């Protein structure tokens, strides 16, 4: 719908970009239950069951005029900037990845900076970053450092990892030093990033990521389809249940600013190898046909990601703790919901 037909300006509206994507759908479901005025932006329409919960704008985050118009029509208290090209997709079009993942993020940071200055109150800017900002040089080093801390190994091998790290740094700049040589704005925005493991949802599938082999294996098994996993059986990275991903974003967004010692936090859940993932899937779907057919290039990307990430800063500063360990994730969240979804 044209922006001019939207509801009149509300203070403290919530903007969610990439809202029709995996994290977006889960986040909208949670936030809508709390009664917030939610404006969503995505290239795609919202799924029908969520369409009534938000004011949806169909469009691109790279459309500067559209972002500026959103800024004139709404006053945002919080922005969840989720829209991105994931790591495999980004690797096929690095320039487009930069435009979507970085340039568009700057448009949104500018919007949040302008609104923070105008309101005299910080707009919160919540940004999902990723384990992909780390780059382990080889498998021996990866095995020797199973839980990397925030300031280590910041040499991503992918354009996606470089994009996410760039926005983390820009977000910190907009939070702390924006226009530091000019007149101080009345308030700076409040940027907060989470570095997520591979997120797994029972309800949606990722598109264009490189940790997708986990969710793809599970959803294929639940539908009775054979699956050839594109990484080796021993490949190990961290994963997280989608409800914990949403909980992490909402908890970080609600934390008092003075409690935060950093702008980007690791959040971890559980690590397992692709073979252990297969065993979990077989325990629920014993007929599943899962083989391994590694793709050398995608394998290289996953090998460069750490086995796990140290989230002690998030635990200490804002009380982070996942609800789902490996067993609960499969037994209580993924398997029952996926069975219901595919009626198996
Ligand atoms: N899970 C994402 C991907 O595979 C990384 O954050 O691209």
């Amino acid at each position: 719908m044209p922006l001019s037909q939207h509801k009149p300006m509300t203070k403290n509206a919530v903007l969610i970009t990439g809202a029709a994507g995996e994290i977006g759908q889960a986040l909208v479901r949670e936030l809508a239950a709390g009664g917030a005025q939610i404006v969503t932006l995505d290239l795609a329409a919202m799924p029908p069951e969520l369409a009534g919960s938000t004011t949806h704008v169909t469009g691109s985050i790279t459309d500067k005029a559209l972002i500026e118009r959103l800024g004139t029509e709404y006053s945002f208290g919080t922005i969840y900037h989720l829209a991105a090209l994931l790591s495999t997709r980004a690797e096929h079009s690095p320039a487009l990845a930069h435009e979507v993942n970085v340039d568009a993020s700057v448009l949104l940071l500018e919007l949040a900076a302008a609104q923070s200055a105008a309101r005299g109150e910080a707009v919160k800017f919540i940004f999902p970053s990723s384990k992909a900002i780390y780059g382990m040089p080889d498998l021996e080093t990866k095995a020797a450092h199973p839980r990397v801390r925030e300031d280590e190994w910041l040499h991503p091998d992918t354009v996606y990892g470089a994009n996410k790290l760039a926005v983390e740094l820009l977000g910190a700049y907009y939070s702390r030093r924006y226009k530091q040589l000019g007149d101080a704005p009345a308030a700076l925005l409040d940027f907060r990033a989470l570095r997520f493991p591979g997120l797994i949802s029972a309800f949606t599938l990722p598109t264009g990521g490189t940790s997708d082999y986990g969710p793809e294996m599970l959803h294929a098994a639940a539908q009775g389809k054979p699956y050839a996993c594109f990484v080796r059986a021993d490949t190990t990275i961290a994963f997280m249940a989608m409800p914990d991903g949403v909980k992490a974003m909402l908890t970080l967004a609600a934390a008092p600013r003075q409690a935060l010692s950093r702008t980007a936090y690791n959040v971890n859940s559980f690590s397992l190898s692709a073979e252990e993932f297969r065993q979990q899937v077989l325990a629920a779907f014993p007929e599943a046909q899962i083989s391994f057919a590694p793709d050398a290039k995608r394998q290289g990307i996953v090998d460069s990601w750490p086995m796990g990430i140290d989230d002690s800063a998030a635990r200490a500063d804002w009380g982070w703790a996942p609800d789902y360990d490996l067993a609960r994730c499969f037994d209580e969240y993924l398997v029952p919901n996926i069975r219901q979804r595919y009626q198996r």
Side-chain angles (χ1 to χ4, degrees):
M1 89 173 68
L3 282 175
S4 53
Q5 287 174 25
H6 292 161
K7 291 178 199 161
M9 181 173 292
T10 313
K11 206 167 152 50
N12 288 329
V14 175
L15 174 62
I16 306 177
T17 72
E22 279 212 288
I23 307 179
Q25 291 187 34
L27 180 65
V28 167
R29 219 168 252 123
E30 277 299 308
L31 282 174
Q37 188 198 355
I38 306 171
V39 179
T40 48
L41 173 61
D42 202 295
L43 287 172
M46 291 303 285
E49 68 276 16
L50 295 175
S53 307
T54 77
T55 303
H56 188 63
V57 179
T58 306
S60 171
I61 51 160
T62 63
D63 181 342
K64 187 169 187 224
L66 175 62
I67 301 298
E68 285 174 358
R69 276 161 57 205
L70 276 175
T72 62
E73 300 228 355
Y74 295 95
S75 177
F76 295 112
T78 308
I79 296 174
Y80 293 90
H81 175 35
L82 314 180
L85 293 192
L86 294 185
S87 54
T88 290
R89 173 77 184 82
E91 217 52 45
H92 289 294
S93 317
L96 178 66
H98 188 81
E99 190 184 338
V100 174
N101 293 350
V102 182
D103 292 347
S105 299
V106 172
L107 296 180
L108 286 156
L109 286 166
E110 283 289 330
L111 164 68
Q115 293 208 338
S116 300
R119 293 154 58 107
E121 191 185 336
V123 173
K124 281 185 194 162
F125 195 108
I126 311 298
F127 181 67
S129 184
S130 166
K131 63 193 176 308
I133 55 128
Y134 299 110
M136 310 310 289
D138 50 58
L139 290 175
E140 293 69 39
T141 312
K142 174 166 165 159
H145 300 274
R147 284 166 75 84
V148 302
R149 290 199 305 265
E150 278 91 349
D151 296 322
E152 300 176 324
W153 308 106
L154 294 171
H155 301 285
D157 271 0
T158 59
V159 65
Y160 171 82
N163 292 161
K164 286 286 181 188
L165 187 54
V167 176
E168 283 191 13
L169 294 171
L170 290 166
Y173 165 77
Y174 273 81
S175 271
R176 293 176 181 158
R177 304 262 182 257
Y178 182 60
K179 294 193 171 169
Q180 60 188 313
L181 298 184
D183 294 333
L188 298 179
L189 62 82
D190 179 355
F191 177 88
R192 305 174 179 198
L194 297 129
R195 295 179 184 164
F196 280 125
L199 291 165
I200 323 173
S201 168
F203 304 103
T204 51
L205 271 163
T207 40
T210 321
S211 55
D212 296 8
Y213 62 89
E216 283 174 2
M217 192 188 289
L218 178 62
H219 283 256
Q223 295 169 82
K225 294 182 183 164
Y227 184 71
C229 178
F230 60 79
V231 295
R232 289 185 319 267
D234 66 291
T235 307
T236 303
I237 56 169
F239 286 94
M240 176 181 284
M242 186 60 81
D244 273 334
V246 171
K247 174 178 135 167
M249 280 193 295
L250 295 176
T251 311
L252 179 59
R257 194 170 187 179
Q258 63 275 16
L260 305 182
S261 59
R262 5 180 0 103
T263 48
Y265 286 91
N266 284 346
V267 283
N268 202 37
S269 199
F270 52 84
S271 297
L272 77 175
S273 69
E275 172 57 22
E276 288 162 339
F277 207 114
R278 178 172 166 270
Q279 292 303 329
Q280 290 288 331
V281 173
L282 284 172
F285 303 101
E287 313 286 296
Q289 295 171 50
I290 303 164
S291 56
F292 289 93
D295 171 298
K297 292 178 178 165
R298 294 180 95 186
Q299 179 74 58
I301 290 178
V302 186
D303 283 344
S304 78
W305 291 345
M307 292 170 69
I309 53 181
D310 181 331
D311 59 5
S312 45
R315 289 173 183 267
D317 286 3
W318 47 277
W320 160 249
D323 288 334
Y324 294 91
D325 60 11
L326 173 61
R328 280 201 71 205
C329 177
F330 276 84
D331 299 348
E332 296 179 29
Y333 169 63
L334 291 174
V335 174
N337 285 307
I338 285 182
R339 268 193 213 291
Q340 196 176 14
R341 176 176 169 177
Y342 299 113
Q343 302 294 320
R344 294 176 85 94

